[in-house]
Amino acid sequence: MDRVKALGRLLPRVAVAVVAGALLGFAFEPHDHPWLTIVAVPLFLAALNGSSMKAGFLIGAGFGIAYYSVLVPWLSVIGGDAAIALAILEGLFYAVFGVFATQVLKLRLWPVWIPALWVATEFATASVPFGGFPWGKLAWAFADVALGSLAAYIGIAGLSFVVAFIGVCVYAVLRRGTVLRMRAVAVVAGLALVFGPMLIQLSTAGDGKQIRAAIVQGNVPGKGLEFLGRARTVTRNHLQATLDLQKQVEAGTEAKPDVVIWPENSTDIDPYKDAETRADIEEAVKAVGVPILVGAVTQGPGVNERQTTGIVWDPSTGPGQRYAKRHPVPFGEYIPFRDQLLPYIKRLEMVGAQTVPGVGPGVMPIRGVTYGDVICFELAYDNVIQDVVNGGAQVLVVQTNNATYGGTGQPEQQFAITRMRAIETGRTVLIASTSGISGVIRPDGSVEHKTGQFVRDVYVADVPLRDGRTLATILGGWPQWILTGLGLLGLVLALVERRRGKAAVPPPPAAGSEQPREKVPA
């Protein structure tokens, strides 16, 4: 009977958490309702408040699984089971958050410890397993909101803390038992964080220098996974788009670029080893007469291994500097435990050769300008961005291939992440995609150019160069480490308080022992 009553009390809390998780998923692209975060976070905390640690695990799991089910349904292109597995895996991080938050909510300064613990959870999801999956950070939802400008000062982790803190302020106001003074502080702090960033004006100007860059989206001959079998056609699409650009330059209808950007997988055939692919690239390079940053899949370094690379191809000297993607996608570009899994999951054979991560950042000096090259999903990894900025990148380049996920919402989510990176670094970002979304993002996160999906597009942009640093890039990883440390400190304090509370409760009398009788006066 007690278990039935406990279950009856738990299920409504789990249901509330599931609703909160789904609402949080709708805060992000392609739905784009960022302020749902300050509804979802308080609902989640309300479900956790007063629950046991065991109940917190189930409540947190319900929240996290619902969150990622709404956030990344695009993974079902690979397989429904893959989408479900990822949602469960990421949901477990929020299950652990739920376990600990039930105790942290009992602390006096819980409005500080909870958002710090949220940052610690995001840090964990972005780190493990297999390099992590940093796609669900609260900050990514705020590219179009003034609050997002804070990323230039406190970075992505700092912005996630602020977003979570605003949600905490809402909950503090509504929470039963909150003293009047705390409610007043929560109202003032929340309103200041929501409206204060509207006073921030981020500059889009450069440091007096600029370059002209052409972004080529050659398009692919199909949607989904099937396009991968038509690698030569993809390369020739980009070749033809580049040749057409040169015709426009010669006709005087387009300005001559200083550099041309081709996307990731603009050739899936190694141009170092395949004469036909090399000839296509060299034809394009010699036609425009300027370097092309080519996205190529190259063979090696070992047998049945490959790398996803950006190669600077010069019209005079040929292939030169090369950057290899540092964060290949598990089960998409390589297979963890390959020998153990392949015999049982035949679908993994579609991955092909094992992609080996590169070493070193994508810092690419091209004719006196330093570009920071980032390839596709690794855009979401903080260390990749920090390394290219620390290496002197004056402009960022994202080479990407979203053809597999076209029309699923994934390209829109990646574009939003790219906008936040522009704000964080104070750099213009040039995005070249095989099939969309390509574009140009200014240093304040505003969009100069954005293509459609599955169309051919060539855009020439005048790009301001920047050597200066935002406070966020100067601080680097410190905000994330400090906030994570605060979250863990809050957890330790909560567990210590819990232990003290248990020790203060007197043990029940032993079975069969007699209670001392009260003396009755004569």
Side-chain angles (χ1 to χ4, degrees):
M1 185 62 69
D2 289 341
R3 288 185 178 180
V4 173
K5 289 181 179 179
L7 185 62
R9 291 191 296 268
L10 175 60
L11 288 179
R13 291 177 178 266
V14 173
V16 169
V18 168
V19 171
L23 288 174
L24 186 56
F26 281 106
F28 298 82
E29 292 282 6
H31 314 288
D32 192 24
H33 302 294
W35 293 115
L36 283 177
T37 54
I38 65 172
V39 178
V41 171
L43 275 178
F44 183 31
L45 296 179
L48 289 169
N49 190 38
S51 299
S52 67
M53 296 178 75
K54 289 181 179 178
F57 182 89
L58 295 176
I59 293 167
F63 172 86
I65 293 171
Y67 174 28
Y68 276 84
S69 295
V70 175
L71 182 66
V72 291
W74 41 263
L75 198 61
S76 59
V77 170
I78 305 299
D81 53 347
I84 293 170
L86 180 65
I88 293 174
L89 175 63
E90 300 303 317
L92 290 176
F93 286 96
Y94 290 89
V96 174
F97 173 91
V99 169
F100 297 142
T102 58
Q103 305 307 304
V104 174
L105 282 166
K106 299 175 183 178
L107 295 176
R108 184 177 180 182
L109 294 178
W110 66 268
V112 175
W113 304 124
I114 286 291
L117 189 61
W118 196 293
V119 172
T121 303
E122 290 189 347
F123 189 18
T125 64
S127 304
V128 293
F130 314 124
F133 184 67
W135 213 256
K137 295 184 178 182
L138 294 178
W140 302 142
F142 285 83
D144 260 327
V145 181
L147 187 65
S149 62
L150 292 177
Y153 301 93
I154 56 179
I156 299 303
L159 180 55
S160 283
F161 175 88
V162 169
V163 174
F165 183 73
I166 293 172
V168 163
C169 288
V170 172
Y171 180 57
V173 172
L174 300 177
R175 187 189 194 192
R176 183 183 302 173
T178 302
V179 297
L180 182 60
R181 185 171 62 179
M182 180 176 282
R183 281 198 171 100
V185 170
V187 169
V188 172
L191 290 175
L193 289 172
V194 171
F195 293 105
M198 294 180 181
L199 303 176
I200 297 174
Q201 293 293 325
L202 299 178
S203 173
T204 60
D207 295 336
K209 299 177 289 183
Q210 70 175 26
I211 54 98
R212 183 170 291 135
I215 300 99
V216 177
Q217 178 175 301
N219 205 11
V220 300
K223 297 183 179 181
L225 296 174
E226 71 271 11
F227 91 94
L228 292 169
R230 307 177 187 180
R232 292 200 189 280
T233 303
V234 174
T235 303
R236 286 171 184 158
N237 283 356
H238 288 82
L239 164 63
Q240 190 59 53
T242 306
L243 295 177
D244 290 346
L245 167 64
Q246 181 57 24
K247 290 177 182 177
Q248 292 178 309
V249 171
E250 292 171 353
T253 58
E254 186 60 86
K256 183 178 178 65
D258 299 307
V259 67
V260 176
I261 311 296
W262 282 12
E264 177 192 25
N265 297 113
S266 45
T267 173
D268 268 351
I269 303 173
D270 190 339
Y272 294 108
K273 299 181 181 295
D274 184 77
E276 188 175 344
T277 300
R278 186 184 185 103
D280 287 342
I281 295 171
E282 289 185 342
E283 181 181 355
V285 171
K286 289 176 180 177
V288 294
V290 298
I292 296 180
L293 180 58
V294 177
V297 175
T298 59
Q299 296 179 28
V303 178
N304 199 33
E305 292 181 340
R306 64 188 178 191
Q307 289 187 310
T308 301
T309 66
I311 304 169
V312 178
W313 212 289
D314 190 270
S316 301
T317 58
Q321 298 165 90
R322 177 175 174 274
Y323 167 64
K325 187 176 185 179
R326 294 165 62 189
H327 277 276
V329 179
F331 304 104
E333 294 177 295
Y334 76 99
I335 307 171
F337 311 112
R338 185 185 185 95
D339 294 339
Q340 291 75 29
L341 294 178
L342 271 180
Y344 302 99
I345 309 176
K346 295 298 182 183
R347 193 188 343 158
L348 293 177
E349 294 175 355
M350 297 174 63
V351 173
Q354 198 85 328
T355 298
V356 178
V359 178
V363 178
M364 313 282 263
I366 305 175
R367 295 192 173 182
V369 176
T370 304
Y371 297 81
D373 190 22
V374 178
I375 300 178
C376 202
F377 278 80
E378 66 178 3
L379 169 74
Y381 291 89
D382 292 339
N383 67 313
V384 172
I385 303 300
Q386 289 164 9
D387 287 348
V388 294
V389 174
N390 290 340
Q394 298 166 293
V395 58
L396 299 185
V397 174
V398 177
Q399 295 179 288
T400 188
N401 167 25
N402 296 323
T404 301
Y405 302 109
T408 65
Q410 187 274 344
E412 289 87 350
Q413 290 178 1
Q414 186 170 314
F415 196 79
I417 293 173
T418 310
R419 293 180 63 190
M420 289 306 308
R421 290 305 191 190
I423 295 170
E424 177 192 25
T425 62
R427 300 290 190 271
T428 297
V429 185
L430 309 174
I431 310 162
S433 173
T434 51
S435 58
I437 302 170
S438 301
V440 178
I441 300 174
R442 301 184 186 96
D444 64 350
S446 60
V447 178
E448 176 180 328
H449 180 69
K450 180 180 180 181
T451 73
Q453 297 184 53
F454 296 104
V455 296
R456 193 176 88 163
D457 186 273
V458 179
Y459 184 76
V460 180
D462 290 324
V463 182
L465 302 180
R466 282 193 170 183
D467 296 306
R469 302 282 295 274
T470 62
L471 179 59
T473 58
I474 293 171
L475 293 175
W478 281 105
Q480 180 166 253
W481 300 330
I482 291 171
L483 291 170
T484 296
L486 280 176
L488 296 178
L489 176 60
L491 169 60
V492 170
L493 292 175
L495 294 179
V496 168
E497 285 297 313
R498 183 172 186 269
R499 187 178 183 86
R500 286 177 179 172
K502 282 188 173 182
V505 177
S513 62
E514 292 186 4
Q515 297 293 326
R517 295 181 180 179
E518 185 177 352
K519 292 184 179 180
V520 179

